[in-house]
Amino acid sequence: MMVTKIFRHWDLSGFPGGLPVPTTLAMDDENLAALIADTAGRVLQVLAASELWAGAAKGGAADRLSNQVILEALRTHRPEDAILSEESSDDPMRLGRRRVWIIDPLDGTREYCDGRDDWAVQVGLAVGGVAEIGAVAVPARNALWRSDRPPTLPPSSGRLRLLVSRSHPPAGIGRIAAALNADIVPMGSVGVKVSALLEGVGQVYVHYGSLFQWDSCAPVALARAAGLDTSRLSGEALAYNGPGTALPDLVISHPAVTAEVRAVLDRLLPLETTDGPGVARLSCSPPDING
C-alpha cells in the first residue's frame, strides 16, 4: 500500500444542489472511501456555516446528515458490503461478512459545535477483521488523508509528545506521561490525532475508555499504512467487526519509540492510578470514559 496528505480548496459553491457521488461511477475501494469522506466533509462545512442550527442541535443535525450521505453512497457503490456506523443501529448480519465499512460520520462533534478545526469524517473498511482502508477528511484544515497514499513518516526527535483526548483525557494518563518523560498534547478527533502523528506533531497516542470501532478503524488503517505501530493497551492486535461495537483502548506510536512505550505500559498496567479526578485501573477493560 502506498499514504500522502492531500490539500484542496473546498469550493462550496453550488451546494446544496446535489451530492457529487455519481450513481454509475466505478472505482476501487480506496478512491471510494476518499470520495465519500470528502463529500460528507463538504456537506458538513456548509452546515457549519448555516444559521439554521446552533450548539448541540447543530452537532446532532451534522451527525445525521453526514451519516445519510455516507450510507447512501455505500449502498449505491458497495451494496453487498456490511456497514457499521456510529449513527445507525448495529445490524448483526455484519458478523457474517468479511468486508465491513466502519464509519464515523463526524468524529469530534464537540469540536465541530465549538467552531474548532480538529474534527473529522472517517470512512474505514475492515477486511477479515483488519483495518485495511481508511480515509479521513479534516475539512476545516482543507485536508484529506488516505491509506493508499501514506506520507513519509518523519523521524522521531526531541522530547516525547503524548497525544490525548481534549475533552476526555483518560484518568491516569498523567502517570503514563511522567513515566515516558513526555509532554501531554490534547486535541479532538482520533483521525486528527493520527494525522498529527503523521506530521510529527507527536510520537504517541494513548486512549482507554469508551472508544468504539468507528472511532479508530479509518485512523488505524492510515497509521498502519504509514508505518506507525498500532495495538490494544495490552499489546494485542486491534480486531474489527467483532460482536458488540466497543473497542475501548488504543495505542499508536512511532516505531522508534514503541519499545519504550510498551515497556512503560507493561509496567503500569497492574497498577492503580489516582492522578486527576477519579480512580482508574489501566487494563484492557478500563473505565467508561468517552473521547
Side-chain angles (χ1 to χ4, degrees):
M1 295 173 67
M2 278 193 37
V3 178
T4 240
K5 187 177 183 182
I6 299 176
F7 287 98
R8 60 181 62 196
H9 171 63
W10 294 81
D11 181 7
L12 302 179
S13 62
F15 270 81
L19 300 176
V21 183
T23 58
T24 58
L25 186 63
M27 67 183 76
D28 59 23
D29 292 328
E30 291 85 353
N31 282 316
L32 179 61
L35 180 56
I36 292 174
D38 185 356
T39 300
R42 291 172 182 257
V43 171
L44 291 182
Q45 283 286 74
V46 173
L47 194 152
S50 172
E51 297 180 357
L52 289 173
W53 299 272
K58 176 171 283 190
D63 279 325
R64 292 188 295 273
L65 183 57
S66 180
N67 190 55
Q68 190 61 36
V69 170
I70 296 170
L71 292 182
E72 290 289 340
L74 287 174
R75 288 167 179 163
T76 297
H77 296 285
R78 295 294 186 273
E80 300 303 317
D81 291 348
I83 302 172
L84 174 62
S85 169
E86 179 180 15
E87 300 302 325
S88 299
S89 298
D90 183 18
D91 186 344
M93 60 80 66
R94 66 178 171 81
L95 298 175
R97 300 291 181 86
R98 178 171 171 78
R99 289 167 50 92
V100 182
W101 293 88
I102 302 179
I103 61 174
D104 193 336
L106 174 53
D107 188 45
T109 304
R110 177 175 298 186
E111 286 73 21
Y112 179 85
C113 293
D114 290 345
R116 292 171 56 92
D117 65 0
D118 48 347
W119 54 273
V121 177
Q122 302 179 171
V123 179
L125 175 63
V127 181
V130 177
E132 290 286 356
I133 293 171
V136 175
V138 189
R141 297 183 179 180
N142 293 344
L144 175 64
W145 297 83
R146 302 174 49 151
S147 58
D148 61 329
R149 301 180 184 178
T152 300
L153 199 61
S156 174
S157 61
R159 184 179 170 92
L160 278 183
R161 294 173 298 281
L162 171 61
L163 308 186
V164 303
S165 170
R166 181 183 78 95
S167 54
H168 298 285
I173 198 68
R175 189 164 188 176
I176 295 174
L180 288 170
N181 193 28
D183 294 324
I184 292 177
V185 182
M187 57 183 68
S189 162
V190 175
V192 169
K193 286 190 276 286
V194 168
S195 72
L197 294 176
L198 298 181
E199 292 178 311
V201 174
Q203 300 101 325
V204 190
Y205 167 40
V206 175
H207 190 82
Y208 44 93
S210 189
L211 277 181
F212 295 86
Q213 296 183 49
W214 47 73
D215 292 309
S216 65
C217 183
V220 163
L222 287 174
R224 293 178 61 243
L228 294 170
D229 293 322
T230 66
S231 74
R232 297 286 303 272
L233 196 67
S234 65
E236 296 176 75
L238 292 155
Y240 293 88
N241 196 36
T245 59
L247 193 55
D249 48 75
L250 175 65
V251 180
I252 303 180
S253 57
H254 193 289
V257 303
T258 295
E260 179 183 1
V261 172
R262 187 73 262 152
V264 165
L265 291 177
D266 287 345
R267 188 171 79 248
L268 294 182
L269 279 175
L271 302 179
E272 297 286 343
T273 62
T274 57
D275 55 318
V279 178
R281 175 178 291 277
L282 299 182
S283 71
C284 293
S285 300
D288 187 22
I289 305 169
N290 293 317

